[in-house]
Amino acid sequence: MVKVLVKKLNPKVQLPIYKTEGSSGMDVMAFLESSVKIAPNSSALIPTGISLAIPNDVEIQIRPRSGLAAKSNIGVLNSPGTIDSDYRGELKIILFNHGNKEFIVNNNDRIAQMVLI
């Protein structure tokens, strides 16, 4: 078992969770004071309100959620995003709108998956 330390940067933050028993990735939620609009063919850096500490032999990959991609054409720009073991800052997700309609990200929306590798 890999030990991951997770720090809430605000008491209201929702921690990443495995949605089902068979999930390989944890759902990561946006932590926003106000909604963020992502125009077509544009990106936005979305805060999660958490920071992580992982062992040296582990990386975290940030991957798109298939539901967001299929329904709204939203992906993770640098997919998969890599969180290195020495990074201790806030986890932020770069979402990209591949669609032709504006997309709105609200607080606590599930925006990506986090996979331990």
Side-chain angles (χ1 to χ4, degrees):
M1 180 186 296
V2 176
K3 186 174 184 177
V4 176
L5 301 176
V6 181
K7 180 180 180 182
K8 286 183 169 189
L9 302 176
N10 183 298
K12 295 179 182 178
V13 168
Q14 291 193 28
L15 295 176
I17 57 168
Y18 289 104
K19 202 64 171 171
T20 65
E21 190 174 312
S23 296
S24 61
M26 290 176 263
D27 287 334
V28 178
M29 280 69 78
F31 185 70
L32 301 168
E33 290 183 20
S34 59
S35 298
V36 173
K37 295 177 183 179
I38 307 175
N41 296 309
S42 297
S43 64
L45 189 61
I46 308 297
T48 65
I50 61 171
S51 62
L52 307 159
I54 59 176
N56 286 337
D57 60 345
V58 174
E59 76 166 296
I60 291 176
Q61 291 186 354
I62 303 299
R63 300 180 183 175
R65 294 191 65 247
S66 58
L68 280 181
K71 296 174 186 170
S72 302
N73 296 304
I74 300 299
V76 174
L77 184 60
N78 59 329
S79 184
T82 298
I83 308 301
D84 296 313
S85 62
D86 61 348
Y87 181 69
R88 295 293 186 268
E90 181 178 9
L91 174 63
K92 296 182 180 181
I93 311 297
I94 308 167
L95 291 184
F96 189 83
N97 183 351
H98 296 276
N100 56 13
K101 296 179 183 174
E102 182 178 80
F103 182 77
I104 298 173
V105 182
N106 297 300
N107 188 45
N108 293 326
D109 281 354
R110 294 182 297 156
I111 57 171
Q113 295 185 74
M114 181 171 80
V115 179
L116 299 170
I117 306 292

